[in-house]
Amino acid sequence: MFSPTALRPRYAKWLIATGLFLMLSGCVDKPNTLERVKEDGVLRVVTRNSPATYFQDRSGETGFEYELVKRFADDLGVELKIETADNLDDLFNQIGKPNGPVLAAAGLVSSEQRKKQVRFSRSYLEVTPQIIYRNGQSRPTDAGDLVGKKIMVLKGSTHAEQLAELKQKYPGIQYEESDAVEVVDLLRMVDEGQIDLTLVDSNEVAMNQVYFTNIRVAFDLGDARSQSWAVAAGEDNSLLNEINSYLDKVQKNGTLQRLKDRYYGHVDVLGYMGATTFAQHLQQRLPKYEQHFKAYAKKEKVDWRLLAAIGYQESLWQPAVTSKTGVRGLMMLTQNTAQAMGVSNRLDPKQSIMGGAKYLAYMKDQLDESIQEPDRTWFALAAYNVGSGHLDDARKLAAKEGLNPDKWLDVKKILPRLSQKQWYSKTRYGYARGGEPVHFVANIRRYYDILTWVTQPQLEGDQVAEGNLHVPGIDKSKPAQEPAPL
């Protein structure tokens, strides 16, 4: 047998070895947030269920924030999992919880109070807080005019913080904070006269103006502010640094601008009066032709709402119009185009829509295979307006300028040059009113976006309402009298 004395050195060595192992084990660094996201293969994001952030339509998940953060997840090579918060307080409380969302992408503006809870990324969108009132009511012109008004804002929002500061100077200002509504609800309540005023950001107004035709901007309350994403507080900068790099990249490559144009360009293109008129025509004119748009769009494998948007841009959905240049009908077809598409009577709305659908599909088929969606659709629209020859000229000029001839964002910068001799003299097809297709495409994109949103409630009966999704809507009641044709 071994004596106790002989065992002591071995026991001591074992203790030392075990201690060293435990010390070394304790020194192993835990994975940082970015590493955990990549190891798990999932980016968990919390957001708001609203038109400007995240919602679901017949095509699936969409929204400005969703599209931006989805691209970020794709860049990381991970799956995106979206969670929605019931209100802003709940949203901030969720960030950084164990196995919870690591990022909030919800149109957030930083404030001193919020900086105590989270850290913010670089800015990706500038917005301005705006006081909204109902058309026909007395327009407030400054903060003093808010006294005595019925005002509601989102609970926990920076707008509530702004009003709290104003109340110190104007004690008569009274306002309600609600966590049972979203911005779209606040705008609807002003539109319907349930409240006098609200305070929302300019991008939300731009997105929703066309759905609520009675709302108006009274004045800007303060300077423009930056929207950012938010991550948990602490010293782990791994995810935040990656986010900032990504936002820099999408700023430089044009992705961010394309998303801004798509979601927030309505007012820039339509204006308030245009938005009001379009909303009326949605109710009064579109129902007469909707079945034809759907039938021929299905036949030609194009989106019926895109086809309807072209019809509105061309004729305001009026079948008997004729332009100074001789194009006629609801889809404003030339005589040659009508004959080529099998249209015998351009003033017959059914035939006109049929011809427009065939012509759009033809224009898209003629494009180079290198042009991918969604640019392919925008190029097809431009060709529908200006002709494929002039479009090819613009693409070649774009390539010579070091731009991408397969990207609409680049080519639309070049198209207006086709009306300048120094440029069109170098092209095969010569002069063209190159600015027109740029405006043509921009307008149709706005109308298409609006049609897409307005038709969401038609999803499988009451599916949207039952799903508790906030979606825009317009007043479905028929106006007393249709205005004279424009």
Side-chain angles (χ1 to χ4, degrees), residues 119-121 229 231 236-245:
R119 290 172 299 154
F120 288 93
S121 72
W229 288 347
V231 300
D236 182 351
N237 293 317
S238 59
L239 182 61
L240 187 60
N241 290 340
E242 193 75 12
I243 288 170
N244 287 333
S245 295

Side-chain angles (χ1 to χ4, degrees), residues 117-130:
Q117 299 175 272
V118 296
R119 290 172 299 154
F120 288 93
S121 72
R122 61 151 287 180
S123 168
Y124 56 85
L125 187 66
E126 292 292 313
V127 297
T128 303
Q130 295 180 321

Side-chain angles (χ1 to χ4, degrees), residues 37-96:
V37 168
K38 290 184 176 181
E39 287 174 3
D40 294 344
V42 176
L43 178 67
R44 291 177 171 83
V45 175
V46 62
T47 188
R48 297 155 48 208
N49 183 199
S50 77
T53 52
Y54 166 81
F55 69 104
Q56 295 185 30
D57 65 11
R58 67 185 66 204
S59 301
E61 297 170 306
T62 188
F64 177 84
E65 293 285 354
Y66 172 79
E67 291 203 33
L68 191 59
V69 80
K70 178 65 169 65
R71 287 168 170 79
F72 178 53
D74 290 344
D75 268 16
L76 294 177
V78 299
E79 177 188 358
L80 174 65
K81 284 198 174 179
I82 293 286
E83 299 177 21
T84 56
D86 292 334
N87 52 64
L88 287 169
D89 289 338
D90 179 41
L91 183 144
F92 283 106
N93 288 334
Q94 285 192 44
I95 303 174

Side-chain angles (χ1 to χ4, degrees), residues 241-401:
N241 290 340
E242 193 75 12
I243 288 170
N244 287 333
S245 295
Y246 163 74
L247 292 175
D248 281 334
K249 183 182 76 171
V250 294
Q251 174 72 48
K252 292 174 182 176
N253 67 18
T255 298
L256 189 56
Q257 188 59 50
R258 286 192 290 272
L259 288 176
K260 291 177 184 178
D261 287 345
R262 175 170 173 76
Y263 284 93
Y264 302 131
H266 301 103
V267 170
D268 290 343
V269 174
L270 299 180
Y272 287 134
M273 293 307 297
T276 301
T277 301
F278 184 61
Q280 292 173 341
H281 291 167
L282 277 171
Q283 302 166 39
Q284 300 163 351
R285 297 180 182 177
L286 179 59
K288 302 173 187 176
Y289 313 112
E290 185 173 330
Q291 60 178 331
H292 301 318
F293 283 124
K294 289 181 175 178
Y296 289 112
K298 183 178 181 180
K299 185 175 181 180
E300 301 300 332
K301 298 180 181 179
V302 296
D303 191 322
W304 79 267
R305 295 163 299 187
L306 184 67
L307 191 62
I310 297 173
Y312 190 77
Q313 170 64 23
E314 294 284 41
S315 70
L316 302 183
W317 295 323
Q318 298 177 106
V321 294
T322 302
S323 79
K324 295 178 181 179
T325 57
V327 293
R328 308 184 74 187
L330 195 147
M331 301 299 286
M332 295 298 274
L333 302 175
T334 66
Q335 183 64 50
N336 290 339
T337 299
Q339 289 178 352
M341 298 298 119
V343 174
S344 59
N345 181 3
R346 288 183 287 168
L347 298 185
D348 180 338
K350 183 177 179 180
Q351 286 194 44
S352 184
I353 292 169
M354 179 269 289
K358 291 177 69 174
Y359 190 53
L360 176 62
Y362 174 77
M363 287 291 101
K364 185 176 283 192
D365 287 342
Q366 297 305 302
L367 295 171
D368 290 348
E369 293 182 0
S370 59
I371 303 173
Q372 302 298 311
E373 292 290 4
D375 297 276
R376 193 172 186 84
T377 292
W378 315 141
F379 277 109
L381 291 175
Y384 186 106
N385 176 261
V386 77
S388 57
H390 291 303
L391 181 63
D392 287 341
D393 284 343
R395 292 182 63 219
K396 290 172 183 176
L397 288 176
K400 290 179 181 178
E401 292 294 302

